[in-house]
Amino acid sequence: DFPWVRECLEKMTYAGVRDENTRNIVGKLVAKQVEIVCDPTMLLPINEFDFPHERKIKDKYMIVYSYSVPKEHQAYIKRYARKNNLKLVSICLYQSWCDLNINCHPMEFSSYIRFSECVYTTTFHGTIFTLLNHKKCAIYSCSKKLKDLLEWTHKEETMLSLTATYDEFESLITKQHSYELFETIIEKKRQESQKIYIDALKSCEVWNGKWVSNQQSKEWVDRNSIHGGGHPLDSHYSYR
């Protein structure tokens, strides 16, 4: 039990989460409606982000983005790269068995994925940018958050199992998936999420440069219309 987490959640006017599992956890802690919203990296189409769009690596390459790659998958990835004359490039996370390890700037992250031939990833944000860039890929999902993302975007077809054979791996990572349905789904989720964010911001006011919810302001007005008093940021209604 984490009482300080419950206390912080109860103080929030709005709460948005990125996956069903987190919504269930929050719902058990507080009696509050919790919305599922887009991760901020999905709120805009990829071409509207101000990313650098130049190619950084001359050779053809395959991206690896993972905290930990199962040994079975390592063997498949290296075999596939040799067969197709691809450099293995790990971005941000060190992999001793890759040809290049690049600690790239966050704003360069998407471009390394964009210009790759294909992507292997086990991470939430690695998957997001892989899908946004419409890449050939193999995604090993080892978290509830990532599985939920692939389910609601209808991209379960990109998932690689731990027990997959090399032939299954090769078939998956060479497949050019259709992203038409993905784009339709994600655009609808963007609009829904943007409305939630905008409504949340509109429910707040700024007092002397600090955000205070409209409910806090109303309580202060009701309280001080009877008792008098100072500014709401000087009272126990302060939002810190």
Side-chain angles (χ1 to χ4, degrees):
D1 192 17
F2 298 93
W4 61 273
V5 175
R6 181 181 289 106
E7 182 181 349
C8 290
L9 287 170
E10 287 173 345
K11 290 179 180 178
M12 292 182 182
T13 306
Y14 281 83
V17 298
R18 299 176 296 182
D19 62 276
E20 191 66 41
N21 183 54
T22 306
R23 177 158 70 174
N24 291 337
I25 292 171
V26 174
K28 291 177 182 177
L29 290 172
V30 291
K32 181 176 294 188
Q33 182 178 359
V34 180
E35 305 281 359
I36 294 182
V37 293
C38 280
D39 183 84
T41 57
M42 303 178 83
L43 280 175
L44 291 175
I46 197 70
N47 60 352
E48 292 187 26
F49 280 100
D50 188 22
F51 292 144
H53 293 299
E54 64 272 15
R55 187 184 182 105
K56 298 281 189 178
I57 301 172
K58 182 179 179 180
D59 297 325
K60 289 185 177 182
Y61 63 94
M62 174 180 176
I63 285 290
V64 176
Y65 184 60
S66 175
Y67 293 99
S68 178
V69 181
K71 289 183 178 180
E72 299 90 337
H73 292 177
Q74 286 184 33
Y76 296 167
I77 292 166
K78 288 189 286 187
R79 179 178 170 183
Y80 180 79
R82 284 195 303 269
K83 180 178 178 180
N84 293 278
N85 197 28
L86 300 175
K87 293 281 189 184
L88 285 178
V89 178
S90 177
I91 45 176
C92 302
L93 301 166
Y94 182 74
Q95 306 290 346
S96 62
W97 46 275
C98 286
D99 299 304
L100 294 172
N101 283 274
I102 299 174
N103 189 20
C104 68
H105 189 280
M107 297 300 288
E108 298 174 328
F109 183 83
S110 180
S111 292
Y112 277 105
I113 290 176
R114 178 183 180 183
F115 290 107
S116 69
E117 299 301 309
C118 53
V119 178
Y120 173 92
T121 186
T122 64
T123 77
F124 184 73
H125 286 107
T127 297
I128 287 176
F129 281 101
T130 296
L131 298 180
L132 289 176
N133 280 287
H134 297 182
K135 301 307 296 183
K136 297 177 183 177
C137 60
I139 298 168
Y140 176 50
S141 175
C142 45
S143 72
K144 292 179 180 179
K145 179 171 64 175
L146 180 47
K147 287 177 183 175
D148 189 66
L149 169 68
L150 293 173
E151 286 173 3
W152 73 258
T153 58
H154 288 208
K155 298 308 292 180
E156 301 101 319
E157 63 186 19
T158 63
M159 291 175 62
L160 178 70
S161 73
L162 183 61
T163 58
T165 65
Y166 174 77
D167 288 341
E168 290 171 334
F169 168 80
E170 185 176 41
S171 175
L172 178 61
I173 206 157
T174 55
K175 181 179 179 181
Q176 182 58 65
H177 300 281
S178 170
Y179 282 93
E180 186 175 349
L181 177 59
F182 168 80
E183 288 295 342
T184 300
I185 292 170
I186 199 63
E187 181 56 32
K188 183 174 183 291
K189 179 64 75 173
R190 277 190 193 112
Q191 293 177 8
E192 293 171 352
S193 299
Q194 287 171 359
K195 183 179 185 305
I196 291 169
Y197 288 136
I198 290 170
D199 288 347
L201 289 171
K202 284 181 177 179
S203 75
C204 299
E205 296 180 1
V206 177
W207 293 75
N208 286 351
K210 294 185 179 181
W211 287 100
V212 181
S213 74
N214 282 340
Q215 180 60 33
Q216 289 170 316
S217 299
K218 180 179 182 300
E219 290 172 353
W220 176 80
V221 170
D222 291 344
R223 177 170 174 261
N224 286 278
S225 63
I226 300 172
H227 303 291
H231 193 278
L233 292 174
D234 298 325
S235 73
H236 69 278
Y237 294 108
S238 293
Y239 184 81
R240 296 182 175 89

